[in-house]
Amino acid sequence: MRDIYRVNLFRSRGFERRKCPKCGRLFWTLDPERTTCGDTPCDEYTFIGNPPTKRRYSLAEMERTFLKFFERHGHKIIKRYPVVSRWRDDIFLTIASIANFQPWVTSGLVPPPANPLVVSQPSIRLKDIDNVGRSGRHLTLFFMGGHHAFNSRRQKIYWTDETVEFCHQFLTDELGIKPEEISYVQDIWEGGGNAGEDFEVIVRGLEVATLVFMHYAGEGGNYRPLPLKIVDTGYGMERLTWLSQGSPSSYEAIFAPMIEHLSSLAGVKMPPTELLQENSRLAGLIDIEGGRELKQLRAKVAERMKMSVEEVDSLLSPLESIYAVADHLRCLAFMFGDGITPSNVREGYLSRLVLRRTLDLIRGLNIQQPLSELMAFCLETLYGQFPELKERSSYILEVVELEEQRYRDAIARGSRLVERIAAELRARGEPLPPEKLTEFYDSHGLRPEVVKEVASKFGVRVDIPEDFDIRVAKSHSKSRHVPEQVVPVPAERLRGLPPTKLLYYQDQYLREFSARVLRVIDNYVVLDRTAFYPEGGGQPSDIGVLEARGVKVEVQNVVKSGDLILHQLQAGGLRPGERVVGRIDWERRRALMAHHTGTHIILGAARRVLGPHVWQQGAQKGAERSRLDISHHKRIETRDLQEIERLANEVVVQNRAVRVQWMNRNEAEQKYGFDLYQGGVVPGKLVRVVDIEGWNTQACAGTHFQRTGEVGLIKIIRTERIQDGIERLEFSVGEAALRHVQELESQLSSVAGILKVPPEKVTSAAQKLFEDWKAAQKEVERLSQRVAELMLAELRSRAKPLGRLRVIAEEVAGASSTELLKIGSALISADGSLVAILGSGNDLARIVVMAGAEAVKAGVDAGAIAAEAARVVGGGGGGRPELGQGGGPKVDLLADALGRAKETCEKQLNL
């Protein structure tokens, strides 16, 4: 078997394979003096202050140079994919260039958009977010330059030899790096369910590329061959830029204007260049995972620079925060620019995590400018290279501004909860449990730094894990859970059956058809062909009848199992092999088609009114009402809702064509973009595309009208915010919408009759009625206050001496527990030596005991008094020394209970 690592370049140029004595890995080199692999931590960075390239490159220049090089060598440049992976249901964010082609292309199901191809793909990985700013190299968003070739049995593009040759030629001929400076380290790569041998390409200690030869599926060493052999390369555009500049860290190479701006706002002076260089060199040798490694780094830097650890930390910590803010702002610009809406779930949760971490870093730097202003500055640095961000800048800035205000509100609300819990922990002498930090963030939006700040005022210790954000991001980066439809018939009972012919796709208006029964399984029947639509895509299944031999059997439900359609029957009677006639409930199907088509129309209107960030988060179609859930960063205002409804009905009146066609996945994506997957990811090489002419295009399996005019009236009934970042639109169409409007008109007429005015004057009449009610309410409150004053005076006159204190033990007829509490509070606030024992009895005996400050000092325990009194009425009670409550079902014993309460109070005072 051929050694996959022994490529032509190494044989022809005289590379030698050696084993690194430090890490044990094999590597290839032209340097006769090299004994180690060249990678960190086996070797230190030697390019800082001494770049190996023929000139300096900016990030934009490096990206352009990379793409043009591979274009000259036969690769087609393709546009970047969004950073939110709309075409996949197993990850939320695009993590690498190969993620663009998983799983459809890598599985061999769908051809690639070009072969070979090259792309510079913005990729987001949050697994190292806590290390951003510290290491000199970690980023949340980075550009992965990938040249890819997809080799099949029928078509060989290129494999290992050409891949390494391309890389070597790019680094040496294009960038001017000396060949002996490059090490190729052998390894195995896994990711996204695929695997293969790889080379890590090292220059002066920095890994600048990974060349993966992907030809396995599986993970953990359990591999099986893929149908394709895939060249999967990843060149770090930021790392190559850093290499070319030799700057102290990658952050200066990428974010220089942003760093200068933030430093000025924070009043942070740049530390000496020698300190920054040493910090990055040593950071490359230490894999920073938490506080322990960071302390080691600080100590080593201090030793080399002959400074104290405290001095090093004071110089580097503020700058590390500035680095992180610069990185996070760019990441957020692409997140929001590509349509993510902050929320508490999925990619929205991850965007909010990055944003709130940014706000905490800014707060720590004491930067007073709002985040939106910092984002505006960041966007200005990106517009030249990414004009699409300028088109979406208003949405980006609005979201940032709203989210900053929401975080301030969350801090104000959540701090009170932290104070209460901190007070309880202080009383017990306990620190805050670490799991509480995650709970505070997930449930209340509080960053751990805020929790620590509040808790410290109560003397409660809070230990924040150094990798807190990494843990949180990891726990919320799992694949979307898409529940599979439960198939009621075991697969083994369906074996041997040919695929069902789907007549509802051939003719969506077909009401009646003939078919042959292939198999009967309990109360399910499989036909050779059917016009019954199975449940799926938020559309309920058809119902109707199957008729054979003059016997009609109702079809109650229809489900899909693979390529088969199962019809659930109300009763048996059908036999395999016989011919049947099927009739669907056309009125119901027509209503469902109207609502399904209406869903597409409303979504198109919502995206035009609210913005292209709107994304369908769910939908359920019904015969009378349907709902559409969309992502949006704030509540939909009435005028926007009215405009959505107006546009939707305008599309109906325009009677636009609704075209349905099966398309190659690549062709569909190239023509319509990833908006295709608004309704969710669809599997397969071919996708069924529903295109409302010039309005909305989606991959959709449902049934639709051929023209929008058939939908009829569209009426949005109501909206609600079902969770943070997701708005629900409930609507009706066609006859159902008309019935809803008529019902509203009927209700309006009824209200007009009650108010004795014409319908058109209901608003003014209701307003007058409301104003009259408010005036009457004020008068009631005034009179109630006067009655309360008289009642309090009467109660005070009945107070009896109790040693040095006074006691009131009275029944207040008809009072609720809340009213008893108000009366008691008013009594003791005026007299701290008073004990108020109040009761009322309607359906239940209620008892409230309150003691003034002097009474509590004298030994009165209101909670104990209430508990004792409640026993008399057959119930229970308790409370604190200043306040006790109780009650029970024996209303007739209320007077006895009040007497027992007074006796208990006397015993407490030893009277």
Side-chain angles (χ1 to χ4, degrees), residues 311-323:
E311 188 178 1
V312 169
D313 192 65
S314 67
L315 289 170
L316 292 181
S317 288
L319 188 60
E320 288 170 349
S321 293
I322 286 172
Y323 288 158

Side-chain angles (χ1 to χ4, degrees), residues 673-849:
F674 296 108
D675 288 353
L676 269 177
Y677 305 124
Q678 284 275 350
V681 178
V682 293
K685 180 179 180 179
L686 298 176
V687 293
R688 185 171 181 264
V689 177
V690 177
D691 176 35
I692 298 178
E693 183 182 10
W695 189 254
N696 177 266
T697 307
Q698 287 182 237
C700 183
T703 58
H704 309 79
F705 287 137
Q706 292 180 345
R707 302 199 73 87
T708 59
E710 298 175 73
V711 173
L713 174 66
I714 294 178
K715 180 61 185 173
I716 298 176
I717 297 168
R718 67 189 185 100
T719 66
E720 64 173 319
R721 198 164 186 81
I722 58 171
Q723 65 183 50
D724 193 22
I726 298 180
E727 293 281 304
R728 171 168 292 173
L729 306 179
E730 189 175 324
F731 64 95
S732 286
V733 306
E735 293 181 7
L738 179 60
R739 284 193 292 272
H740 176 72
V741 171
Q742 289 174 338
E743 183 182 339
L744 292 179
E745 288 178 342
S746 177
Q747 293 174 2
L748 179 62
S749 295
S750 297
V751 172
I754 293 170
L755 296 175
K756 294 182 173 52
V757 295
E760 62 270 19
K761 293 187 177 180
V762 162
T763 301
S764 58
Q767 181 65 36
K768 183 178 185 306
L769 181 63
F770 178 69
E771 290 172 357
D772 291 344
W773 174 83
K774 282 200 302 184
Q777 190 71 12
K778 287 182 180 179
E779 180 63 15
V780 168
E781 289 174 1
R782 187 186 68 79
L783 293 173
S784 296
Q785 180 66 30
R786 180 58 182 154
V787 170
E789 290 170 359
L790 293 172
M791 180 184 292
L792 288 173
E794 176 65 19
L795 287 172
R796 288 191 188 100
S797 69
R798 297 183 184 181
K800 301 289 192 277
L802 195 67
R804 289 179 296 129
L805 306 177
R806 284 155 36 91
V807 63
I808 295 173
E810 296 287 339
E811 179 180 352
V812 182
S816 65
S817 296
T818 302
E819 289 167 338
L820 291 177
L821 286 168
K822 287 182 178 180
I823 294 168
S825 179
L827 290 170
I828 65 168
S829 64
D831 186 354
S833 66
L834 184 66
V835 179
I837 303 170
L838 306 174
S840 69
N842 294 321
D843 55 332
L844 187 73
R846 298 177 178 83
I847 299 167
V848 169
V849 182

Side-chain angles (χ1 to χ4, degrees), residues 626-697:
S626 293
R627 59 173 170 79
L628 171 65
D629 299 337
I630 60 173
S631 58
H632 191 49
H633 52 287
K634 59 183 180 180
R635 292 306 314 270
I636 302 176
E637 297 179 6
T638 301
R639 66 174 181 273
D640 288 336
L641 196 64
Q642 291 172 341
E643 181 62 9
I644 292 170
E645 186 176 86
R646 187 192 70 78
L647 283 178
N649 282 288
E650 186 176 274
V651 169
V652 170
V653 173
Q654 291 167 348
N655 198 28
R656 299 189 186 207
V658 182
R659 298 186 179 92
V660 179
Q661 61 178 320
W662 290 91
M663 296 180 68
N664 173 281
R665 180 182 291 273
N666 281 329
E667 180 189 350
E669 288 179 357
Q670 289 169 11
K671 184 173 182 179
Y672 298 113
F674 296 108
D675 288 353
L676 269 177
Y677 305 124
Q678 284 275 350
V681 178
V682 293
K685 180 179 180 179
L686 298 176
V687 293
R688 185 171 181 264
V689 177
V690 177
D691 176 35
I692 298 178
E693 183 182 10
W695 189 254
N696 177 266
T697 307

